[in-house]
Amino acid sequence: MLVGGEAGIGKTALAETLCREAVEQGALTLVGRCYERSETPAYGPWFELFDRYRPVEHEPPVPRAFAQSDATREVGNPDALLAQLRLFLAAVTASQTLVLVLEDLHWADRESVELLRALARDLGSVPALVIATYRADEITVAHPLGELMPAMVREARATRIGLPPLQERDVDVLVRRQFMLPARDRQRLVRYLQARGEGNPFFIGELLHALEEKEVLRGQGNGWVLGDLSDIGIPPLVRQVIRGRLDALGANAQRLLAVGALIGQEVPLALWASITEETEESLFATVERALAFHLLAETSDTTRFRFVHALIREALVEDVPVSQRRLSHRRIGEALTGRVAPDPDDVAYHFRQAGDHRAVEWLLRAGDRAERAYAWWTASERFEAALAILDASDASAAERAWLRIRIWDLNRYSDPGRGIHHLEAAGQLAAEANDPALAACLLRERGKLHIFLGEQRQGLIEVEAGHHALDALPATTLVDPWVARRQRRGRAALATWLAEVGRYADATVFANRVLSTTEDGDAYFALGIIHAGLGRPEEAHIAFDRARELLSGVASPYRRGTVAAERLSNVILPYQADLLLERQAMAREAETIWGHVSMMLAAGSARLAQLPLLVLEGMWDEVDELANQVLEDHRAIRAWRRFLIRDIASVAYARGDAALIRQLINEWLSAGPATEPGDAHYVIAIALQQLAAELAIDAIDLPTAHAWLEAHDRWLTWSGATLGRAEGALGWARYHRAAGDCVAAHRHASSALGYANAPRQPLALLAAHRLLGELNVAAKQYTDAATHLAAALNLADTCAAPYERALTLLAQAELSAAVGDEAEALTLLDEVRGICGILGAAPARARADALAARLAGGLPSPFSSSGSLTHREVEVLRLLAGGSTIRQIAAELFLSARTVERHITTIYRKIGARGRVDATAYAVQHGLTAAARHHS
C-alpha cells in the first residue's frame, strides 16, 4: 500500500492508527523511517525497522544482513539480502500477521526502494501488509520511488492512496470533538482553520496550538471561548517547515515572492509586474525557481500562478515591514480599481490592509453582491467591516443606522441575537438623525422582529404603520436601491404575515395590490395560504405553482423551500393526504431546497420538510429526535419553530404527554381560551385549541373544554376559514358524548362529516367516520357502525397512516366485542397493541389492554401496571433493569444514545427513581423485567 500526500496531510497518523489496531488484533508490526537525504544511509529504513524487532519464542531472528552494528552495516549481495528477507517473511507469517511500515520514502535511497519492489512481489502468498508513505509533491519521475512505483503497482498490485486535504465538514468534526463552542464561534474557527490550513491536519493542529497558547481559544467554565482571529501569526513549527524551503531561493526571489504574496493566493502576472516594476519576462526566472521548489503552482490560466499553500504566502507576508506592507496594499488596491469590472472583495481587502477609507465603498459593493447571491453570512461580514470603519470615522448617524438595519435583516434567521443587537443600535442612531425614511423603515423592521418573536399583533401593527409611512414619502426619498427593493418585497411579505394570523380578507387586499403592479412570487405565496385556509385547494395549488415559478432561480432557497413546505402542510395533507406520491414529492422538494441553505438555518432544518409525513406515517421517534435537534439550536427562532409545533403536539397527545402540550399551549396561547384572534399564528392556534379541548374532555373537565371549543369557533368565524371546521365539529361531538348527550354528539359528528366532504379532506373524513362508528356502537346501531368504521379503515390505509389505522381497529374491536365476536375482537386488539407499541401511543394501548383484559376474563396486560410510562419508555426500562448500557439499549431499539438518555431521564422523573437501582426495583415490582414479561 503506497500512501502519498503533502507534508502534514496525515500519512504517519494513518499508518500509526492502522499499526495500533493491528497490534490489538495480534499482528507483529515493524516500522522504519527515512530522514533527510544527507542523513539516511543505504537501506536506512530497513535497518531501523529491524532494530526495533525483538523476537520472542518461536519467532525467527533478525535477518543476518540487518543484525550488524552501526559501524559494520554492509548488507552485501542484494540477491542474498532478498533471500534472507523472504525466509524471514515466511517464518514470521507462519504463525501471525505481519505489518511493515516504511515512512517518508521521498528521502529513501534507491536501494531501499529497489528492495521494497522486489519483496512486494512475494506479498500475495503470505498474510503480510507493507505500507510505504511518501510526500507526493517531492516525488518526480527521476526519483527512485517515482521511477519504480509503476512497476510496484503493476507487479505487486500495490494499492495507491492519495490522501486529500480535509474538507470543511471534516475540520468541523475535529473542532466539535475538541472544543465546546457556540455555533457561530465554531463556524468562525472552522472557516479560519480551513482558510489558513487548507485542509492540512499538521498545519491545522499547529494553528490550534498557537490559538490556545495565545489564549485566543481558551477554556471558560464548561465550554470554550474564541477571541479575535484577525491578528494571529504563523505557528513556529509551521514557520520552520516553510522557512527551509524559502531560504533556498535567495533574497531577491523572496522579495518578489513577498509582493506576489501581498497580492493574493493567486497572482496575476501582469499585476505582479506592475507593482514590482519588473517586466513579465524578468519575473519568469523567479516563477520557475518557485515552481521547482513547490512554492508556486501553475493554474489553468497561464497568465497567473498560485501559492501552493496559504501558510507559505503568509510566511512571506510576515517578513515585509508593516509600513511597506501598507503602501504595497494601497498600490495594489489602486491598480485593481483601474481594471474593467474589478472584484469588490479584492479591492476592499487591499484598501482595508492599507488602512484606506476607500475600503468602505468596496466593502458595501462586496456586501451587495453577496446579498444578491444569498450569501448572507458573507454579506453580513462585509457590512460589519464597513460599519467598523464608519464607527471610527465621522460618518453620519443615518448612514450607520441604515447599515445596521441591513445587518439585522441578514442575520434575522441565522443569528437573531446578533441581528437584534444591530437593530437596537440602529434605533439609537436613528434618534440622532432627522431621516423620515429611516424612521419608517426602522418601525417596519421592529415590527418584523415582533413577528419573529411570536408577538404577531404588535408586530403587524408596526409593520403596517412602517409601510404606510414609507408609501407616504415622496418617491425621491427612497433613492437607495436596497430600501426601494425591501419596500416592494415587504408589501408581499405583509400579505403573507396577515394570512398566517388568519386575516385572510386583509391579506387578499395586500396581495392583490402587489399583483396589480407586478408579478410577485411572494404575493402568490400569500394567496396560496389564503385559498388553502378558505377551502379552495385548486386555487391554492395554482397560486403555489405560480409562486414556485416566479421564485425559482431568483429567490432565496429558504423562501422557495417554504413554498413547498407550506403547500404540503396547508393543501396536500389537509385535502389530498391519500395522494402518497404527491405528498412525498413535495416533502422531498422542500427538503432538497432547504438543504442548500442548511448552514444558515437551525440544525436539521432541511429535514423539517418531512416532519408532517413522519408524523402521519408513524416514524415518531425520528420526530422526537428532529424536534429536539432543532429546538436546541439557538437559531431556531419562533418563526422557524412554527414548522414543528403542530406535529410535536399531535404526537405528544397520542403518546399521553399532556405536560408537553400544556407547555406549548402556554407558550403560543398565553391568554388561554381568551387569546384573541390575530395574537398568534392561526394554524398553530386552532390546532392547539383542538388539543386543549381534547385534554380537558379526557380529564372530564367539561367547562374548560367548552371554553376552548368556543375559542376555536370564535377564531374560525373571525377568519372566515373553512379549514378547521370539521375538526371543530368533531371536538363538540366528543364534548357532548362526554356530557352524556348522545343526540347532540351524533349531530355534531354528522356536521363534521359534511364539512370534511366540502371540500374533501381525507383525514378529517376519516376521523368523522370513526367517531360516528363509535357513537353507533354505543347506540347499538351496529350495521351503521360497521359501515362508518369500514370507510374510516379504508381511508387510514389509503393515507398510509398507522396510528389512524390503530384507532380505527380499536373501534372495530369494540364493535366486535359488542356483537359477541370476542375472537375477532382479540385478533384486532393484537394488531392495535402491536402498532401502538411501536409508536409509543400509550393511551390507545391502554384502551386496547383494558378491552383485551375484559374479554380474556380480567387477565392483566404486562403493560397495564407501568403507570404513566409510554411503551417506548417501558422497553427502555426493561433493558435498563436487565443491565444493558445506554449504547446497547440504543442498538436494541434502533435509537440514538441521546434519545435513550432522554427516555431514561423521563422515566426517572415519572417513577421517582434516583438512579438505575431504584429503576430496576420498580421494574421488578411491576413485572417489567424480561423474565416477568416471558411469564406473563
Side-chain angles (χ1 to χ4, degrees):
M1 184 170 292
L2 304 170
V3 182
E6 68 183 50
I9 201 64
K11 304 180 295 297
T12 297
L14 175 63
E16 288 176 349
T17 299
L18 192 144
C19 286
R20 187 165 54 248
E21 294 177 358
V23 169
E24 290 173 356
Q25 297 183 40
L28 172 64
T29 65
L30 300 174
V31 180
R33 292 182 173 84
C34 302
Y35 300 95
E36 291 285 352
R37 292 183 181 89
S38 60
E39 300 173 1
T40 303
Y43 297 109
W46 293 97
F47 275 108
E48 178 169 309
L49 183 150
F50 284 109
D51 280 345
R52 302 186 179 196
Y53 176 52
R54 299 290 183 270
V56 296
E57 188 177 1
H58 305 306
E59 287 183 343
V62 174
R64 186 176 65 257
F66 296 106
Q68 306 169 53
S69 67
D70 291 344
T72 59
R73 284 189 168 176
E74 296 181 5
V75 298
N77 187 314
D79 291 334
L81 174 64
L82 180 59
Q84 293 174 34
L85 280 178
R86 285 173 173 164
L87 289 173
F88 174 83
L89 190 67
V92 166
T93 57
S95 58
Q96 61 188 322
T97 299
L98 175 66
V99 177
L100 302 179
V101 179
L102 298 171
E103 284 258 47
D104 294 327
L105 287 190
H106 51 280
W107 285 324
D109 57 288
R110 186 176 187 90
E111 291 80 3
S112 291
V113 179
E114 288 278 10
L115 182 57
L116 172 62
R117 176 195 172 187
L119 187 64
R121 299 190 187 110
D122 300 315
L123 294 179
S125 60
V126 294
L129 171 66
V130 175
I131 302 171
T133 72
Y134 61 96
R135 291 186 187 173
D137 56 357
E138 297 197 26
I139 300 298
T140 64
V141 176
H143 189 282
L145 185 59
E147 187 178 330
L148 297 174
M149 192 181 297
M152 281 190 278
V153 172
R154 182 178 62 254
E155 297 167 358
R157 298 182 181 274
T159 299
R160 295 180 64 180
I161 297 178
L163 295 186
L166 299 179
Q167 299 299 306
E168 185 165 314
R169 61 178 178 272
D170 305 317
V171 180
D172 184 67
V173 170
L174 183 149
V175 170
R176 283 177 184 268
R177 289 180 177 177
Q178 294 190 53
F179 308 101
M180 188 178 296
L181 284 164
R184 192 174 183 92
D185 281 348
R186 187 188 73 246
Q187 291 147 8
R188 188 159 58 94
L189 178 58
V190 168
R191 289 198 298 271
Y192 169 87
L193 294 173
Q194 191 66 352
R196 297 291 184 94
E198 293 189 346
N200 186 296
F202 169 75
F203 291 161
I204 289 171
E206 292 303 314
L207 288 168
L208 286 170
H209 288 317
L211 293 176
E212 290 188 68
E213 287 173 1
K214 295 185 177 184
E215 295 191 339
V216 174
L217 180 62
R218 64 186 186 279
Q220 182 173 308
N222 294 326
W224 288 77
V225 174
L226 182 66
D228 184 9
L229 293 170
S230 61
D231 228 355
I232 306 301
I234 301 176
L237 190 55
V238 178
R239 175 184 289 280
Q240 182 180 344
V241 172
I242 296 170
R243 179 51 57 196
R245 295 161 74 180
L246 291 173
D247 286 345
L249 288 175
N252 187 57
Q254 286 191 51
R255 179 185 64 82
L256 293 175
L257 282 174
V259 176
L262 289 168
I263 292 173
Q265 190 69 19
E266 284 200 359
V267 191
L269 196 62
L271 178 62
W272 193 5
S274 70
I275 299 301
T276 58
E277 298 181 349
E278 299 269 343
T279 65
E280 293 186 15
E281 290 75 14
S282 68
L283 278 175
F284 269 116
T286 298
V287 168
E288 288 175 357
R289 296 194 69 198
L291 289 171
F293 280 89
H294 296 285
L295 297 169
L296 288 181
E298 294 178 327
T299 67
S300 56
D301 179 359
T302 57
T303 65
R304 62 180 62 225
F305 298 88
R306 65 176 177 83
F307 286 94
V308 170
H309 202 284
L311 293 181
I312 295 172
R313 177 186 162 217
E314 289 191 30
L316 285 160
V317 168
E318 287 189 6
D319 286 340
V320 180
V322 174
S323 58
Q324 184 181 336
R325 201 183 304 171
R326 289 168 67 93
L327 179 61
S328 296
H329 278 300
R330 180 175 290 110
R331 293 182 63 191
I332 296 168
E334 290 170 345
L336 288 172
T337 59
R339 293 185 157 199
V340 177
D343 185 297
D345 282 301
D346 284 348
V347 179
Y349 166 77
H350 289 293
F351 279 144
R352 283 184 72 193
Q353 297 303 310
D356 193 311
H357 194 274
R358 285 175 289 181
V360 171
E361 173 192 351
W362 292 94
L363 284 166
L364 294 177
R365 290 190 188 187
D368 282 334
R369 180 174 67 174
E371 185 178 7
R372 289 193 300 273
Y374 295 94
W376 294 339
W377 280 351
T378 298
S380 177
E381 288 171 353
R382 300 296 181 269
F383 290 151
E384 291 196 36
L387 180 65
I389 298 173
L390 292 175
D391 283 342
S393 67
D394 295 328
S396 69
E399 185 179 6
R400 289 180 286 151
W402 279 116
L403 196 50
R404 285 188 180 275
I405 289 174
R406 295 191 67 174
I407 297 171
W408 136 255
D409 191 61
L410 289 164
N411 283 276
R412 69 185 189 275
Y413 292 122
S414 60
D415 193 345
R418 190 183 192 88
I420 291 168
H421 163 74
H422 282 286
L423 189 61
E424 291 173 346
Q428 297 170 2
L429 289 168
E432 304 174 23
N434 184 21
D435 186 334
L438 174 60
C441 185
L442 189 60
L443 180 61
R444 182 190 64 193
E445 298 302 314
R446 281 174 174 161
K448 286 164 59 175
L449 171 59
H450 283 296
I451 291 171
F452 292 146
L453 295 177
E455 301 159 359
Q456 270 77 6
R457 183 179 296 277
Q458 180 61 32
L460 285 171
I461 290 172
E462 294 184 1
V463 168
E464 289 185 78
H467 273 290
H468 290 316
L470 285 167
D471 286 340
L473 292 173
T476 55
T477 305
L478 304 179
V479 292
D480 186 291
W482 180 83
V483 178
R485 187 168 67 248
R486 298 304 296 179
Q487 178 66 349
R488 288 193 301 272
R489 186 180 298 168
R491 295 188 188 99
L494 177 57
T496 299
W497 291 326
L498 290 169
E500 286 179 345
V501 298
R503 290 173 56 181
Y504 295 135
D506 295 337
T508 302
V509 171
F510 267 90
N512 287 332
R513 185 182 300 170
V514 172
L515 293 174
S516 66
T517 59
T518 182
E519 288 279 272
D520 185 275
D522 290 316
Y524 278 112
F525 173 61
L527 285 178
I529 296 174
I530 295 165
H531 288 312
L534 296 177
R536 302 193 286 256
E538 294 306 318
E539 291 91 334
H541 275 305
I542 293 170
F544 280 126
D545 275 335
R546 192 69 181 125
R548 177 169 59 179
E549 179 183 348
L550 291 169
L551 294 174
S552 178
V554 297
S556 157
Y558 169 77
R559 287 158 61 209
R560 288 187 282 121
T562 302
V563 170
E566 293 285 6
R567 186 177 193 173
L568 175 67
S569 295
N570 292 335
V571 187
I572 293 179
L573 288 182
Y575 299 108
Q576 298 167 329
D578 48 353
L579 301 182
L580 305 187
L581 294 179
E582 284 81 352
R583 77 192 197 189
Q584 290 165 1
M586 193 56 57
R588 281 196 303 271
E589 178 179 327
E591 182 176 13
T592 300
I593 296 172
W594 273 343
H596 297 319
V597 288
S598 59
M599 286 295 291
M600 296 188 299
L601 304 173
S605 297
R607 186 65 175 159
L608 286 181
Q610 297 282 348
L611 197 63
L613 296 190
L614 296 177
V615 173
L616 185 59
E617 295 170 4
M619 289 176 272
W620 291 358
D621 286 333
E622 187 172 351
V623 171
D624 284 346
E625 293 215 31
L626 182 58
N628 284 320
Q629 183 181 14
V630 174
L631 292 176
E632 289 171 6
D633 193 300
H634 77 283
R635 291 172 290 169
I637 55 177
R638 285 177 65 108
W640 185 244
R641 291 170 65 211
R642 72 178 187 273
F643 293 105
L644 285 165
I645 301 305
R646 280 186 297 172
D647 296 315
I648 62 176
S650 62
V651 170
Y653 180 76
R655 285 182 160 175
D657 192 346
L660 176 56
I661 298 173
R662 292 191 183 98
Q663 175 187 329
L664 295 173
I665 291 170
N666 291 336
E667 179 182 352
W668 290 81
L669 301 172
S670 57
T675 303
E676 289 296 322
D679 280 357
H681 191 284
Y682 179 77
V683 173
I684 294 174
I686 62 170
L688 291 177
Q689 288 166 351
Q690 294 159 9
L691 290 175
E694 295 291 344
L695 284 179
I697 291 169
D698 291 343
I700 319 298
D701 183 358
L702 297 186
T704 299
H706 194 279
W708 279 114
L709 290 170
E710 280 193 330
H712 188 269
D713 286 351
R714 188 170 69 254
W715 281 58
L716 285 171
T717 302
W718 170 82
S719 67
T722 295
L723 205 58
R725 293 192 179 276
E727 289 79 6
L730 285 170
W732 281 114
R734 295 189 185 99
Y735 168 84
H736 286 296
R737 180 175 63 176
D741 189 343
C742 296
V743 174
H746 196 280
R747 183 175 69 252
H748 282 286
S750 297
S751 296
L753 191 65
Y755 288 134
N757 267 311
R760 184 174 181 274
Q761 302 158 58
L763 295 174
L765 204 57
L766 186 164
H769 275 302
R770 185 169 59 234
L771 183 54
L772 282 168
E774 292 171 350
L775 292 171
N776 287 143
V777 170
K780 299 183 180 181
Q781 298 167 350
Y782 301 133
T783 301
D784 290 343
T787 300
H788 282 298
L789 293 177
L793 187 62
N794 180 62
L795 283 165
D797 292 340
T798 304
C799 294
Y803 179 61
E804 299 297 335
R805 175 177 175 81
L807 292 180
T808 306
L809 290 175
L810 181 54
Q812 286 187 328
E814 291 169 341
L815 170 61
S816 296
V819 299
D821 192 346
E822 294 185 358
E824 174 66 12
L826 288 170
T827 300
L828 293 170
L829 290 174
D830 281 343
E831 183 176 351
V832 172
R833 291 189 288 182
I835 295 172
C836 292
I838 293 171
L839 297 178
R845 174 65 190 252
R847 283 178 54 196
D849 284 343
L851 180 56
R854 179 166 59 83
L855 293 174
L859 186 66
S861 162
F863 293 96
S864 61
S865 58
S866 59
S868 61
L869 298 182
T870 66
H871 174 82
R872 180 65 75 191
E873 290 163 356
V874 169
E875 291 293 329
V876 171
L877 177 56
R878 178 179 291 113
L879 293 169
L880 188 71
S884 297
T885 65
I886 289 176
R887 182 172 295 180
Q888 289 168 337
I889 295 172
E892 176 74 17
L893 300 181
F894 300 100
L895 302 174
S896 70
R898 189 176 176 185
T899 297
V900 172
E901 289 173 350
R902 286 199 300 270
H903 279 314
I904 291 173
T905 300
T906 302
I907 291 167
Y908 286 175
R909 175 176 54 79
K910 286 184 176 182
I911 67 176
R914 291 170 295 181
R916 183 188 286 258
V917 173
D918 288 350
T920 301
Y922 180 93
V924 172
Q925 179 183 354
H926 290 82
L928 299 178
T929 60
R933 184 185 186 194
H934 176 73
H935 174 74
S936 176

